[in-house]
Amino acid sequence: MLDDWRVVNRSVADALAELDMSPADIGLVINTHLHFDHCGQNAVFRHAPVYVQRAELSRAKRESPELCEWFDFMNARFELLDGDAEVLPGLEVIATPGHTEGHQCVVVRATRTDPAGPVGPAGRRVRWPGAFDLLIGDAAYTPRQYAAPDLGKLPAGQASDVPAWRESVRRVQSLRPDRVHFCHHTDIVHN
């Protein structure tokens, strides 16, 4: 059971405002999957394309038609993907079915100096070539599930297809991301 996560009710516009940004500053949206807690504010970004796996959109239309009415707002612009894809230089998605049929994780590769990276010459923070962060979505709810996908009972809702879920987590582990960020847990795994 997840005991270290709680829902925070605030709009994405308010969260962006804390960073001196607005929804108009966002040029694209990537949904890891189409459960409400991951796509419920898509309409705030009416101007932006939404990148999602084709299999995920099909699943959502089949299993949650009422939710589709919410996120498939008038003139929604879906960029449908079929597997791994580069969205922009340094920004990729990798297909990780299991939590849902069309789940995907997001890979963010270092392309410039990173203030959170290791300290290099002259005290500057740098990222080495090939370094990347993984936004895991719901491929794993917690660092414990990420570290040991074959151990223990999964919480309700973690996997619609347990063998595919375990294979996806093992695949993500094999990529050896520098940092793994979770949606439903505040810890960041550093490799």
Side-chain angles (χ1 to χ4, degrees):
M1 180 162 169
L2 300 175
D3 59 5
D4 54 355
W5 177 81
R6 61 189 165 87
V7 173
V8 176
N9 291 317
R10 77 176 176 177
S11 74
V12 69
D14 289 344
L16 287 168
E18 290 178 14
L19 301 170
D20 294 323
M21 296 176 72
S22 77
D25 295 318
I26 304 303
L28 64 88
V29 172
I30 299 174
N31 288 134
T32 57
H33 62 294
L34 297 174
H35 284 163
F36 185 77
D37 57 327
H38 294 264
C39 68
Q41 294 192 52
N42 279 7
V44 173
F45 305 105
R46 291 180 185 274
H47 61 283
V50 177
Y51 288 78
V52 67
Q53 294 290 321
R54 184 181 315 276
E56 183 62 9
L57 184 59
S58 294
R59 179 211 58 82
K61 286 180 176 179
R62 188 175 61 250
E63 294 178 9
S64 304
E66 69 288 344
L67 178 60
C68 287
E69 292 174 19
W70 181 271
F71 67 73
D72 195 6
F73 49 88
M74 181 186 253
N75 298 321
R77 208 171 67 205
F78 288 103
E79 294 292 333
L80 299 178
L81 305 171
D82 295 306
D84 300 356
E86 181 180 62
V87 175
L88 294 171
L91 183 63
E92 305 162 26
V93 297
I94 56 171
T96 51
H99 175 64
T100 63
E101 180 181 330
H103 189 280
Q104 62 187 1
C105 294
V106 181
V107 172
V108 181
R109 295 195 182 276
T111 57
R112 64 180 193 279
T113 301
D114 181 348
V119 176
R124 292 178 144 166
R125 295 204 175 265
V126 297
R127 297 288 303 274
W128 49 93
F132 70 94
D133 286 30
L134 181 88
L135 311 179
I136 202 164
D138 279 357
Y141 288 159
T142 67
R144 184 179 314 147
Q145 289 174 332
Y146 172 72
D150 295 318
L151 299 178
K153 184 178 177 187
L154 297 176
Q158 174 63 78
S160 64
D161 179 336
V162 174
W165 176 81
R166 286 195 167 105
E167 182 57 34
S168 288
V169 175
R170 284 191 291 267
R171 178 181 182 218
V172 167
Q173 290 172 329
S174 74
L175 298 174
R176 303 192 43 79
D178 296 283
R179 293 182 291 209
V180 179
H181 304 264
F182 298 85
C183 288
H184 297 291
H185 199 282
T186 58
D187 287 353
I188 298 171
V189 171
H190 297 265
N191 292 321

